[in-house]
Structure formats: C-alpha cells, structure tokens
Amino acid sequence: MHKTISLLSTAILAASLLVVGSSSSTAATPKDPFIAKVMEITNVYRAENGARPVFFNEAISQGSQAWAKEINNRINAGKLNMATIHRSDSGLSILPKGPDMYSEIIGINNNAQQIVDWWMASPSHRAALLNPRATDMGIGQVRTTKYEYGSMTVVVANIAGYASSRILQPTVPEWPTPPTDYAYAGHVQNVGWQYMVANGAVAGTIGRSMRLEALNLAGSGQLARAHVQDEGWMPWQSTNSPTIGTVGKSKRMEAIQVKSTMPNIKFRYRVHVQNIGWMPWVNDGEVAGTVGQSLRIEAVEIRVVNAY
C-alpha cells in the first residue's frame, strides 16, 4: 500500500546517528562526509521500504576501511579480480562478537548517491542493504588514483545485526494518509513504486537520471494518459485511481495529460524532463513533457485547484 513520505524519515535518520552505547559498539555520526552521506542515503532508502535505520559502527568501519585500502592496492597493481573482491568470510572476522546476520557489499563509483543507487539496483546488494534484521553498518572508502578509474571511490560496507542494537532501533512510524483525496505515486527505474504524495510534492527523482515509468493517481473523477517510449500515446485511463505508463517493461514516460471530470476542481501539473529540468506548469488536460524527442520524464508535481 502506498503511504505518504514525510519529514519523519529525517527524524528516523537523526535517531539512527545519535544512539550510542550498545554492546555492538555503535557510534555517533561518522566524521568522514562521504561516509556520512552513504549512511544518510542508506537510511532514507530503508525508511522508504519500511526497515528501521542502521547505526554507524566505528569498530566495524575500521575493518571496512582496511579492506577498501586493500582493494585500492589491487587496483593500482592491476591485480583486481572481481571473483575475489570480497573477503573469504564476507567480513565476519572484523565484526564484534554476537551478530545474528552479516553481509559485505562493495561498490566503486563517483559519489555516495551513485554508490547506494547501484547497490539498490542489484538484487543481492539491495537485499543486504534493506535486511530488516540489520542494525549496524561499518563503511570504508578510498578514492582511486588509477587513471582508468577516473578518481572513483572504492566503498566497502559491512552490515551486521545485533540483538542489543535492535532494542535501541527507533520503530518505523506509520506514514500519515495524504491530506487530500487526490494523491499520486511514481514508479521509478531501479526503485519501483514510491510512497504516495500530494499537494504539489515531487513524485519521481531529480538528479539521478532515472526514468519515471508509471504514475498512479489516487482518487475519482480524473482522466489521465501517458506518452510512452515505443508506444506513443496510450489510451485514456478513467477508472478510480488510474495508473498510466507501464510497469515491468523498462520504458520511459515522455509526456502526460491529466484532466478532471468534476465541475468544481481542475489540475495543474508539471514534469521534470531529461536535459531540460522543470518545464512550465500546464493546466487541466494539457500536455506536460515532450513528444518526439526521446526524453524521459524524471519527476512530476500535481496540484488540485478550485475551478471557480
């Protein structure tokens, strides 16, 4: 069921970085800005998927950092082998005693957002990152100096679950119902369905170069359709809570139209388009986006206005 995302995810994140003192040696906010950003993005994704936040663990991070340096040394020596990029024990030997789950995930990319997005796009990495039993996370990072890698960053994350930390984890709050009967949710490349939003909030993503593949519109009295890659304009959808676009076909929406069948309300909406950014607001039934330019819609904002 779609739920509205709110500032509560920020509160969850803050709590995850401030709790200290479990037997698994959880620590406060990491000093390294890159690592802090990886933690932040990780816990936002966990909140969006109904999982409690993980704590930054300094003791685990020391072992993660050592392995990140080892991988970088192999890169510089031209001896990196993807078959042996992980430790043989998946990092168990560096963990404080007593974990009831653990995993090691590694990424090499340009920034923290790309690192975590790559993990989320890989089924095995995503499963580790969103594991509901996970409580602690250690992270190490080293920027490569090998020319072929273009100064990308090697990131090693060791994730573990401890009963003692689990007691301290904040609960995931029940997200509030959208404050209007007209809400909407985006289906995003590599992400899937997002939470419902309303009142002109953003559905989709900005700055991640991800296509918006479908849009679900909650409420009655509306017609909608999408112009889709290789499909063109698809039929108008007029059922309660219509969904436009496609799911499971990896196709971008390029333009949308939304219009009201109710006499007292109208819709205003705009889209964020590849290589263009936010396009101008359009009114009930007008085209938002582009046709014939092969440009993906990345985000949508919709407002309900009084027709009088």
Side-chain angles (χ1 to χ4, degrees), residues 61-82:
S61 290
Q62 292 175 13
S64 304
Q65 184 65 31
W67 194 246
K69 290 180 179 178
E70 170 62 23
I71 293 173
N72 189 52
N73 290 339
R74 294 181 186 182
I75 290 174
N76 289 333
K79 296 181 178 180
L80 180 64
N81 184 343
M82 299 306 293

PDB file of all heavy atoms in Angstrom, residues 61-82:
ATOM      1  N   SER A  61      33.769  -0.179  11.042  1.00  0.00           N
ATOM      2  CA  SER A  61      34.311   0.673   9.981  1.00  0.00           C
ATOM      3  C   SER A  61      35.824   0.553   9.851  1.00  0.00           C
ATOM      4  O   SER A  61      36.372   0.704   8.752  1.00  0.00           O
ATOM      5  CB  SER A  61      33.931   2.132  10.232  1.00  0.00           C
ATOM      6  OG  SER A  61      32.547   2.330  10.039  1.00  0.00           O
ATOM      7  N   GLN A  62      36.505   0.294  10.945  1.00  0.00           N
ATOM      8  CA  GLN A  62      37.962   0.134  10.867  1.00  0.00           C
ATOM      9  C   GLN A  62      38.331  -1.038   9.966  1.00  0.00           C
ATOM     10  O   GLN A  62      39.253  -0.951   9.152  1.00  0.00           O
ATOM     11  CB  GLN A  62      38.531  -0.045  12.271  1.00  0.00           C
ATOM     12  CG  GLN A  62      38.410   1.205  13.137  1.00  0.00           C
ATOM     13  CD  GLN A  62      38.872   0.976  14.565  1.00  0.00           C
ATOM     14  OE1 GLN A  62      39.497  -0.036  14.881  1.00  0.00           O
ATOM     15  NE2 GLN A  62      38.558   1.916  15.448  1.00  0.00           N
ATOM     16  N   GLY A  63      37.590  -2.138  10.096  1.00  0.00           N
ATOM     17  CA  GLY A  63      37.829  -3.281   9.220  1.00  0.00           C
ATOM     18  C   GLY A  63      37.389  -3.011   7.793  1.00  0.00           C
ATOM     19  O   GLY A  63      38.024  -3.470   6.831  1.00  0.00           O
ATOM     20  N   SER A  64      36.296  -2.260   7.626  1.00  0.00           N
ATOM     21  CA  SER A  64      35.827  -1.899   6.284  1.00  0.00           C
ATOM     22  C   SER A  64      36.853  -1.020   5.580  1.00  0.00           C
ATOM     23  O   SER A  64      37.127  -1.191   4.382  1.00  0.00           O
ATOM     24  CB  SER A  64      34.485  -1.157   6.380  1.00  0.00           C
ATOM     25  OG  SER A  64      33.521  -1.919   7.064  1.00  0.00           O
ATOM     26  N   GLN A  65      37.438  -0.082   6.329  1.00  0.00           N
ATOM     27  CA  GLN A  65      38.433   0.815   5.753  1.00  0.00           C
ATOM     28  C   GLN A  65      39.677   0.049   5.317  1.00  0.00           C
ATOM     29  O   GLN A  65      40.248   0.314   4.248  1.00  0.00           O
ATOM     30  CB  GLN A  65      38.809   1.897   6.766  1.00  0.00           C
ATOM     31  CG  GLN A  65      39.780   2.949   6.248  1.00  0.00           C
ATOM     32  CD  GLN A  65      39.180   3.795   5.133  1.00  0.00           C
ATOM     33  OE1 GLN A  65      37.979   4.028   5.098  1.00  0.00           O
ATOM     34  NE2 GLN A  65      40.016   4.264   4.231  1.00  0.00           N
ATOM     35  N   ALA A  66      40.094  -0.920   6.123  1.00  0.00           N
ATOM     36  CA  ALA A  66      41.272  -1.718   5.780  1.00  0.00           C
ATOM     37  C   ALA A  66      41.054  -2.476   4.476  1.00  0.00           C
ATOM     38  O   ALA A  66      41.955  -2.575   3.633  1.00  0.00           O
ATOM     39  CB  ALA A  66      41.593  -2.687   6.915  1.00  0.00           C
ATOM     40  N   TRP A  67      39.834  -2.993   4.284  1.00  0.00           N
ATOM     41  CA  TRP A  67      39.574  -3.757   3.059  1.00  0.00           C
ATOM     42  C   TRP A  67      39.437  -2.833   1.849  1.00  0.00           C
ATOM     43  O   TRP A  67      39.837  -3.198   0.739  1.00  0.00           O
ATOM     44  CB  TRP A  67      38.337  -4.624   3.220  1.00  0.00           C
ATOM     45  CG  TRP A  67      38.221  -5.665   2.137  1.00  0.00           C
ATOM     46  CD1 TRP A  67      37.272  -5.739   1.168  1.00  0.00           C
ATOM     47  CD2 TRP A  67      39.101  -6.771   1.911  1.00  0.00           C
ATOM     48  NE1 TRP A  67      37.495  -6.823   0.353  1.00  0.00           N
ATOM     49  CE2 TRP A  67      38.617  -7.473   0.786  1.00  0.00           C
ATOM     50  CE3 TRP A  67      40.257  -7.233   2.552  1.00  0.00           C
ATOM     51  CZ2 TRP A  67      39.246  -8.616   0.289  1.00  0.00           C
ATOM     52  CZ3 TRP A  67      40.882  -8.374   2.059  1.00  0.00           C
ATOM     53  CH2 TRP A  67      40.377  -9.048   0.941  1.00  0.00           C
ATOM     54  N   ALA A  68      38.892  -1.632   2.044  1.00  0.00           N
ATOM     55  CA  ALA A  68      38.823  -0.665   0.948  1.00  0.00           C
ATOM     56  C   ALA A  68      40.234  -0.312   0.469  1.00  0.00           C
ATOM     57  O   ALA A  68      40.487  -0.190  -0.739  1.00  0.00           O
ATOM     58  CB  ALA A  68      38.080   0.592   1.391  1.00  0.00           C
ATOM     59  N   LYS A  69      41.161  -0.159   1.404  1.00  0.00           N
ATOM     60  CA  LYS A  69      42.556   0.119   1.035  1.00  0.00           C
ATOM     61  C   LYS A  69      43.163  -1.059   0.280  1.00  0.00           C
ATOM     62  O   LYS A  69      43.918  -0.873  -0.684  1.00  0.00           O
ATOM     63  CB  LYS A  69      43.372   0.425   2.292  1.00  0.00           C
ATOM     64  CG  LYS A  69      43.030   1.756   2.947  1.00  0.00           C
ATOM     65  CD  LYS A  69      43.887   1.988   4.191  1.00  0.00           C
ATOM     66  CE  LYS A  69      43.573   3.334   4.830  1.00  0.00           C
ATOM     67  NZ  LYS A  69      44.372   3.560   6.070  1.00  0.00           N
ATOM     68  N   GLU A  70      42.847  -2.279   0.714  1.00  0.00           N
ATOM     69  CA  GLU A  70      43.362  -3.465   0.036  1.00  0.00           C
ATOM     70  C   GLU A  70      42.860  -3.533  -1.407  1.00  0.00           C
ATOM     71  O   GLU A  70      43.628  -3.836  -2.332  1.00  0.00           O
ATOM     72  CB  GLU A  70      42.940  -4.721   0.802  1.00  0.00           C
ATOM     73  CG  GLU A  70      43.215  -6.036   0.087  1.00  0.00           C
ATOM     74  CD  GLU A  70      44.695  -6.288  -0.185  1.00  0.00           C
ATOM     75  OE1 GLU A  70      45.546  -5.707   0.531  1.00  0.00           O
ATOM     76  OE2 GLU A  70      45.005  -7.060  -1.119  1.00  0.00           O
ATOM     77  N   ILE A  71      41.582  -3.241  -1.606  1.00  0.00           N
ATOM     78  CA  ILE A  71      41.035  -3.250  -2.968  1.00  0.00           C
ATOM     79  C   ILE A  71      41.719  -2.187  -3.819  1.00  0.00           C
ATOM     80  O   ILE A  71      42.071  -2.425  -4.983  1.00  0.00           O
ATOM     81  CB  ILE A  71      39.512  -3.022  -2.938  1.00  0.00           C
ATOM     82  CG1 ILE A  71      38.815  -4.215  -2.277  1.00  0.00           C
ATOM     83  CG2 ILE A  71      38.962  -2.805  -4.351  1.00  0.00           C
ATOM     84  CD1 ILE A  71      37.334  -4.005  -2.043  1.00  0.00           C
ATOM     85  N   ASN A  72      41.935  -1.006  -3.241  1.00  0.00           N
ATOM     86  CA  ASN A  72      42.609   0.059  -3.983  1.00  0.00           C
ATOM     87  C   ASN A  72      44.037  -0.339  -4.342  1.00  0.00           C
ATOM     88  O   ASN A  72      44.524  -0.033  -5.440  1.00  0.00           O
ATOM     89  CB  ASN A  72      42.607   1.344  -3.165  1.00  0.00           C
ATOM     90  CG  ASN A  72      43.105   2.537  -3.968  1.00  0.00           C
ATOM     91  OD1 ASN A  72      42.613   2.798  -5.061  1.00  0.00           O
ATOM     92  ND2 ASN A  72      44.090   3.245  -3.433  1.00  0.00           N
ATOM     93  N   ASN A  73      44.720  -1.028  -3.431  1.00  0.00           N
ATOM     94  CA  ASN A  73      46.076  -1.503  -3.734  1.00  0.00           C
ATOM     95  C   ASN A  73      46.062  -2.479  -4.907  1.00  0.00           C
ATOM     96  O   ASN A  73      46.949  -2.449  -5.773  1.00  0.00           O
ATOM     97  CB  ASN A  73      46.684  -2.178  -2.501  1.00  0.00           C
ATOM     98  CG  ASN A  73      47.017  -1.188  -1.397  1.00  0.00           C
ATOM     99  OD1 ASN A  73      47.173   0.012  -1.653  1.00  0.00           O
ATOM    100  ND2 ASN A  73      47.122  -1.675  -0.168  1.00  0.00           N
ATOM    101  N   ARG A  74      45.056  -3.336  -4.939  1.00  0.00           N
ATOM    102  CA  ARG A  74      44.946  -4.286  -6.048  1.00  0.00           C
ATOM    103  C   ARG A  74      44.668  -3.559  -7.361  1.00  0.00           C
ATOM    104  O   ARG A  74      45.191  -3.936  -8.420  1.00  0.00           O
ATOM    105  CB  ARG A  74      43.831  -5.294  -5.767  1.00  0.00           C
ATOM    106  CG  ARG A  74      44.109  -6.209  -4.580  1.00  0.00           C
ATOM    107  CD  ARG A  74      42.963  -7.193  -4.382  1.00  0.00           C
ATOM    108  NE  ARG A  74      43.130  -7.988  -3.171  1.00  0.00           N
ATOM    109  CZ  ARG A  74      42.287  -8.947  -2.780  1.00  0.00           C
ATOM    110  NH1 ARG A  74      41.226  -9.227  -3.527  1.00  0.00           N
ATOM    111  NH2 ARG A  74      42.502  -9.616  -1.667  1.00  0.00           N
ATOM    112  N   ILE A  75      43.835  -2.520  -7.293  1.00  0.00           N
ATOM    113  CA  ILE A  75      43.556  -1.723  -8.497  1.00  0.00           C
ATOM    114  C   ILE A  75      44.841  -1.097  -9.018  1.00  0.00           C
ATOM    115  O   ILE A  75      45.156  -1.161 -10.213  1.00  0.00           O
ATOM    116  CB  ILE A  75      42.505  -0.638  -8.191  1.00  0.00           C
ATOM    117  CG1 ILE A  75      41.127  -1.271  -7.969  1.00  0.00           C
ATOM    118  CG2 ILE A  75      42.437   0.383  -9.331  1.00  0.00           C
ATOM    119  CD1 ILE A  75      40.070  -0.289  -7.513  1.00  0.00           C
ATOM    120  N   ASN A  76      45.611  -0.482  -8.117  1.00  0.00           N
ATOM    121  CA  ASN A  76      46.846   0.190  -8.526  1.00  0.00           C
ATOM    122  C   ASN A  76      47.873  -0.785  -9.083  1.00  0.00           C
ATOM    123  O   ASN A  76      48.671  -0.430  -9.960  1.00  0.00           O
ATOM    124  CB  ASN A  76      47.442   0.956  -7.344  1.00  0.00           C
ATOM    125  CG  ASN A  76      46.621   2.185  -6.982  1.00  0.00           C
ATOM    126  OD1 ASN A  76      45.936   2.748  -7.833  1.00  0.00           O
ATOM    127  ND2 ASN A  76      46.678   2.594  -5.726  1.00  0.00           N
ATOM    128  N   ALA A  77      47.851  -2.018  -8.575  1.00  0.00           N
ATOM    129  CA  ALA A  77      48.798  -3.029  -9.043  1.00  0.00           C
ATOM    130  C   ALA A  77      48.286  -3.782 -10.265  1.00  0.00           C
ATOM    131  O   ALA A  77      48.985  -4.656 -10.795  1.00  0.00           O
ATOM    132  CB  ALA A  77      49.094  -4.020  -7.916  1.00  0.00           C
ATOM    133  N   GLY A  78      47.072  -3.442 -10.711  1.00  0.00           N
ATOM    134  CA  GLY A  78      46.491  -4.133 -11.852  1.00  0.00           C
ATOM    135  C   GLY A  78      46.105  -5.567 -11.548  1.00  0.00           C
ATOM    136  O   GLY A  78      46.062  -6.411 -12.446  1.00  0.00           O
ATOM    137  N   LYS A  79      45.791  -5.855 -10.279  1.00  0.00           N
ATOM    138  CA  LYS A  79      45.506  -7.229  -9.874  1.00  0.00           C
ATOM    139  C   LYS A  79      44.100  -7.403  -9.298  1.00  0.00           C
ATOM    140  O   LYS A  79      43.833  -8.389  -8.608  1.00  0.00           O
ATOM    141  CB  LYS A  79      46.537  -7.683  -8.831  1.00  0.00           C
ATOM    142  CG  LYS A  79      47.963  -7.746  -9.366  1.00  0.00           C
ATOM    143  CD  LYS A  79      48.932  -8.227  -8.296  1.00  0.00           C
ATOM    144  CE  LYS A  79      50.351  -8.327  -8.837  1.00  0.00           C
ATOM    145  NZ  LYS A  79      51.310  -8.799  -7.798  1.00  0.00           N
ATOM    146  N   LEU A  80      43.202  -6.463  -9.583  1.00  0.00           N
ATOM    147  CA  LEU A  80      41.843  -6.602  -9.063  1.00  0.00           C
ATOM    148  C   LEU A  80      41.118  -7.726  -9.788  1.00  0.00           C
ATOM    149  O   LEU A  80      41.024  -7.740 -11.014  1.00  0.00           O
ATOM    150  CB  LEU A  80      41.065  -5.297  -9.235  1.00  0.00           C
ATOM    151  CG  LEU A  80      39.620  -5.325  -8.715  1.00  0.00           C
ATOM    152  CD1 LEU A  80      39.597  -5.548  -7.203  1.00  0.00           C
ATOM    153  CD2 LEU A  80      38.882  -4.045  -9.075  1.00  0.00           C
ATOM    154  N   ASN A  81      40.606  -8.672  -9.018  1.00  0.00           N
ATOM    155  CA  ASN A  81      39.848  -9.803  -9.553  1.00  0.00           C
ATOM    156  C   ASN A  81      38.469  -9.771  -8.907  1.00  0.00           C
ATOM    157  O   ASN A  81      38.345  -9.935  -7.688  1.00  0.00           O
ATOM    158  CB  ASN A  81      40.570 -11.117  -9.234  1.00  0.00           C
ATOM    159  CG  ASN A  81      39.875 -12.327  -9.839  1.00  0.00           C
ATOM    160  OD1 ASN A  81      38.708 -12.260 -10.237  1.00  0.00           O
ATOM    161  ND2 ASN A  81      40.593 -13.440  -9.919  1.00  0.00           N
ATOM    162  N   MET A  82      37.431  -9.568  -9.713  1.00  0.00           N
ATOM    163  CA  MET A  82      36.090  -9.443  -9.155  1.00  0.00           C
ATOM    164  C   MET A  82      35.640 -10.721  -8.450  1.00  0.00           C
ATOM    165  O   MET A  82      34.789 -10.678  -7.562  1.00  0.00           O
ATOM    166  CB  MET A  82      35.095  -9.081 -10.262  1.00  0.00           C
ATOM    167  CG  MET A  82      35.391  -7.749 -10.945  1.00  0.00           C
ATOM    168  SD  MET A  82      35.547  -6.351  -9.790  1.00  0.00           S
ATOM    169  CE  MET A  82      33.863  -6.230  -9.194  1.00  0.00           C
TER     170      MET A  82
END
